[in-house]
Amino acid sequence: MKLESFPVFLKDKKFSVISNSASSKGVQFTNVDFPASNLVRLKSMLSFFSYLNMNGEISDKAFEALVRYACSIFIENEVEARVKDAFEQKIINFWESKLSSAMEKYITTK
């Protein structure tokens, strides 16, 4: 998700871009070195959205939509990572238990 292209509705029904507001408040996203944890990223984004909402930069409705969107991305990424890890582990286990011995037998007989 690129923040510089993420439009939001302001309270006066105009469009704004989060990074424009962030840069005017001294917040920079371009060189932020987030830790690898998706949870830390989620907390940072929710904190920023809360900051925008408290300062009247975005409406309550926009805040709610942004929070839902950020949480859905977090959940999607977490589920994808866990399924990927489980799938890879199953493939490795299958390879080690079934195919490895079959390949050894095949190679030794040729």
Side-chain angles (χ1 to χ4, degrees), residues 2-97:
K2 286 190 151 190
L3 287 178
E4 59 268 12
S5 62
F6 196 90
V8 295
F9 285 107
L10 297 179
K11 287 189 176 185
D12 60 355
K13 305 289 186 201
K14 293 180 183 174
F15 276 106
S16 179
V17 176
I18 287 177
S19 66
N20 290 345
S21 174
S23 63
S24 69
K25 304 295 183 204
V27 179
Q28 292 182 346
F29 280 103
T30 54
N31 295 324
V32 174
D33 184 24
F34 286 116
S37 170
N38 283 337
L39 185 57
V40 171
R41 291 180 196 163
L42 176 65
K43 287 179 181 179
S44 296
M45 293 305 302
L46 295 180
S47 176
F48 180 65
F49 295 153
S50 179
Y51 167 81
L52 291 176
N53 185 254
M54 286 186 337
N55 290 317
E57 296 286 329
I58 60 174
S59 67
D60 290 340
K61 194 172 189 175
F63 173 74
E64 183 180 332
L66 288 168
V67 168
R68 285 179 188 237
Y69 184 66
C71 290
S72 68
I73 289 172
F74 170 77
I75 292 168
E76 181 180 330
N77 288 340
E78 286 297 307
V79 168
E80 180 181 346
R82 291 177 188 198
V83 168
K84 179 183 162 239
D85 290 344
F87 185 69
E88 286 176 355
Q89 190 58 48
K90 291 290 184 186
I91 297 234
I92 289 169
N93 291 344
F94 178 74
W95 177 262
E96 289 174 348
S97 67

